[in-house]
């Protein structure tokens, strides 16, 4: 049985992936500093799986603690989610983002190397395509970040490429997620953002549950079918499965590999609102607001490479994403504090 270390395993995508790993028979150890999550998510994951995980509250920047964990335990691979992800906050506090995301990952890789662990799956993002030239976006499209958060993802990708060049023992999967949404079908785990959500789906769910009054639709004058922005929303449980496939790939010693994880289909903001209304049977009040600076009109993935090389394909549609997001939000109106 393989042992996997999951960094950031109490967070949104991490918790769903830990559940998928446990259900697939892996031993899992989670580290998280709980900066943007709570241990409650992991408690619920263990209950759903009927299986325990190891948990250590460790900050990736604390190299001594990280090293002593690797001294005590043997891991076959690391799935690395831990990072800060709020674009706006990264523009206000760039050093926090470089320190947390880049320095944290440097520490992790140094400790892994010292312990002889060379397999890593890294949470990258469609943000590395900046304002993309065209969609669907394939992995070879030009890269460029338009904010410090995106810069940290680009820098880490480049660092992991350099690491592999310096020592081919490293096997690395760079997974570029598109727009992760939804929740586990049980409604026990889901997305629980701090404060007012920046992202569309949690904002819509909080309007539906009555926590927020009204959604602002950022721009209806984009060159799209209804004038609102198009994104590739992907169910978090499909994303979790992508990590299992990536781990399987790493066992074949592929060196460094990069995959887009998306559905390949774009939905407009208005389509998301209407799908959510159908799924929840709740009317979502919204008004049209100016465009949000920095937003692209259209981004969706070409995920053919992941399908061909990983045997992975997103299975859940927008209706399922909205239904599961609503199930989670209505059962847990205050998130994990409910
Ligand atoms: P999240 O905030 O829910 O989870 C990240 C977890 O990492 C949190 O539990 C947080 O407490 C922890 N963490 C942060 N810094 C840490 C540190 N220094 N040491 C230890 N733990 C730390 O976010 P998420 O949505 O689950 O995202 C997971 C990863 O996927 C992130 O790296 C994010 O950048 C990336 N990603 C997310 C999205 C998205 O829209 N959700 C899209 C693309 C990529
Ligand atoms: N939107 C609104 N109103 C809102 C929030 C969003 O109209 O209150 C619109 C946006 O303008 C955009 C779409 O909904 O057209 C999606 O916006 P999100 O903020 O949910 O997602 P983004 O595509 O802007 O960005 C997200 C993450 C990034 C990540 C990217 C790709 O925030 O960090 O997905 O993975 F890089």
């Amino acid at each position: 049985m393989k042992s996997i270390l999951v960094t950031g395993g109490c967070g949104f995508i991490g918790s769903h992936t830990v559940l998928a790993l446990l259900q697939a028979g892996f031993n899992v150890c989670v580290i998280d500093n709980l900066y943007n999550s709570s241990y409650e998510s992991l408690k619920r994951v263990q209950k759903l799986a009927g299986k325990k995980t190891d948990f250590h509250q460790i900050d990736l920047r604390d190299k001594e603690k990280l090293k002593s964990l690797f001294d005590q335990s043997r891991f076959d691979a690391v799935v690395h989610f831990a990072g800060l992800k709020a674009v706006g906050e990264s523009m206000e506090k760039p050093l926090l983002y470089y320190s947390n995301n880049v320095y944290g990952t440097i520490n992790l890789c140094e400790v892994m190397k010292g312990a002889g662990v060379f397999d890593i799956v890294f949470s990258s993002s469609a943000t590395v395509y900046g304002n993309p030239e065209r969609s669907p976006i394939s992995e070879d499209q030009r890269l460029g970040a338009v904010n410090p958060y995106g810069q940290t993802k680009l820098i880490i990708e480049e660092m992991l490429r350099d690491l592999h060049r310096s020592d081919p023992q490293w096997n690395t999967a760079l997974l570029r997620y598109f727009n992760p949404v939804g929740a586990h079908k049980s409604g026990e785990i889901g997305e629980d953002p701090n404060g007012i959500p920046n992202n569309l789906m949690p904002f819509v769910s909080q309007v539906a549950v009555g926590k927020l009054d009204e959604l602002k639709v950022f721009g209806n004058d984009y060159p799209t079918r209804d004038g609102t922005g198009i994104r590739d929303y992907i169910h978090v449980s499909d994303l979790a499965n992508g990590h299992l496939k990536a781990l399987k790939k790493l066992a074949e010693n592929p060196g460094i590999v990069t995959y887009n994880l998306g559905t390949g289909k774009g939905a407009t903001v208005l389509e998301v609102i209407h799908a959510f209304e159908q799924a929840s049977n709740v009317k979502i009040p919204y008004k049209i607001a100016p465009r949000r600076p920095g937003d692209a009109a259209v981004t969706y993935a070409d995920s053919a490479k992941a399908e061909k090389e990983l045997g992975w394909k997103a299975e859940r549609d927008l209706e399922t994403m909205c239904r599961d997001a609503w199930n989670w939000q209505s059962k847990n109106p205050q998130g994990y504090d409910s």
Side-chain angles (χ1 to χ4, degrees):
M1 195 186 307
K2 286 205 164 186
S3 281
I4 310 295
L5 176 69
V6 179
T7 77
C10 295
F12 172 45
I13 308 171
S15 56
H16 289 79
T17 305
V18 171
L19 177 59
L21 286 166
L22 290 174
Q23 288 174 334
F26 288 94
N27 274 332
V28 179
C29 173
V30 170
I31 59 173
D32 200 303
N33 64 0
L34 304 181
Y35 179 87
N36 197 36
S37 54
S38 83
Y39 180 65
E40 177 64 21
S41 63
L42 208 56
K43 275 202 203 154
R44 295 190 187 187
V45 163
Q46 294 175 81
K47 201 164 163 211
L48 284 170
K51 232 176 125 182
K52 293 261 168 233
T53 67
D54 219 5
F55 173 70
H56 302 268
Q57 187 169 349
I58 297 179
D59 191 301
L60 281 184
R61 289 164 295 180
D62 187 340
K63 196 168 175 186
E64 282 316 304
K65 276 202 186 149
L66 210 50
K67 197 174 164 306
S68 77
L69 175 67
F70 275 78
D71 286 343
Q72 289 159 27
S73 319
R74 167 76 219 166
F75 302 116
D76 297 292
V78 175
V79 183
H80 176 30
F81 294 103
L84 300 178
K85 61 167 184 175
V87 171
E89 185 186 49
S90 81
M91 296 197 283
E92 284 158 25
K93 301 176 185 167
L95 294 180
L96 174 67
Y97 273 68
Y98 287 106
S99 154
N100 193 79
N101 295 3
V102 180
Y103 176 60
T105 305
I106 292 174
N107 266 347
L108 175 67
C109 292
E110 282 178 349
V111 172
M112 284 175 68
K113 187 176 156 82
V117 182
F118 292 103
D119 284 6
I120 182 168
V121 180
F122 172 62
S123 297
S124 188
S125 166
T127 194
V128 299
Y129 298 112
N131 274 329
E133 290 164 329
R134 60 186 180 281
S135 281
I137 304 171
S138 54
E139 288 82 356
D140 53 7
Q141 215 177 104
R142 188 176 45 79
L143 302 180
V146 290
N147 54 60
Y149 164 67
Q151 282 290 2
T152 68
K153 292 293 175 192
L154 267 184
I155 291 171
I156 295 168
E157 282 203 1
E158 206 46 58
M159 201 171 80
L160 293 172
R161 279 187 209 101
D162 284 338
L163 203 50
H164 170 70
R165 275 184 213 111
S166 74
D167 181 352
Q169 284 187 91
W170 283 92
N171 286 302
T172 305
L174 307 175
L175 302 184
R176 296 177 180 157
Y177 315 150
F178 278 64
N179 289 55
V181 297
H184 186 257
K185 62 179 185 222
S186 64
E188 288 297 311
I189 55 171
E191 188 168 11
D192 183 17
N194 270 336
I196 297 178
N198 296 308
N199 298 116
L200 179 65
M201 187 68 92
F203 203 109
V204 170
S205 335
Q206 294 196 10
V207 170
V209 86
K211 267 180 89 177
L212 298 169
D213 292 337
E214 174 182 76
L215 173 76
K216 285 196 184 91
V217 174
F218 296 139
N220 68 346
D221 55 353
Y222 286 108
T224 62
R225 46 189 178 265
D226 61 21
T228 65
I230 291 184
R231 294 291 182 277
D232 187 338
Y233 298 94
I234 173 168
H235 196 294
V236 64
S237 297
D238 280 332
L239 206 53
N241 288 337
H243 293 75
L244 265 62
K245 298 283 189 183
L247 282 170
K248 196 163 160 234
K249 183 77 186 174
L250 293 189
E252 298 166 10
N253 287 317
I256 188 150
V257 287
T258 307
Y259 300 107
N260 284 339
L261 298 185
T263 62
K265 290 190 201 91
T268 69
V269 177
L270 295 181
E271 286 164 356
V272 171
I273 296 173
H274 295 141
F276 202 96
E277 287 181 332
Q278 290 270 317
S280 62
N281 219 5
V282 176
K283 188 100 195 114
I284 309 292
Y286 69 86
K287 73 164 179 253
I288 306 297
R291 290 182 179 193
R292 185 170 65 178
D295 272 358
V298 181
T299 58
Y300 60 94
D302 175 347
S303 281
K305 191 175 169 211
E307 187 173 354
K308 184 163 172 248
E309 295 185 15
L310 297 180
W312 173 89
K313 197 173 185 308
E315 287 166 0
R316 294 160 180 87
D317 59 12
L318 186 59
E319 199 188 323
T320 310
M321 298 177 214
C322 292
R323 191 193 62 215
D324 291 342
W326 175 240
N327 187 30
W328 150 255
Q329 189 70 64
S330 52
K331 277 189 172 166
N332 306 272
Q334 307 301 330
Y336 288 111
D337 289 338
S338 296

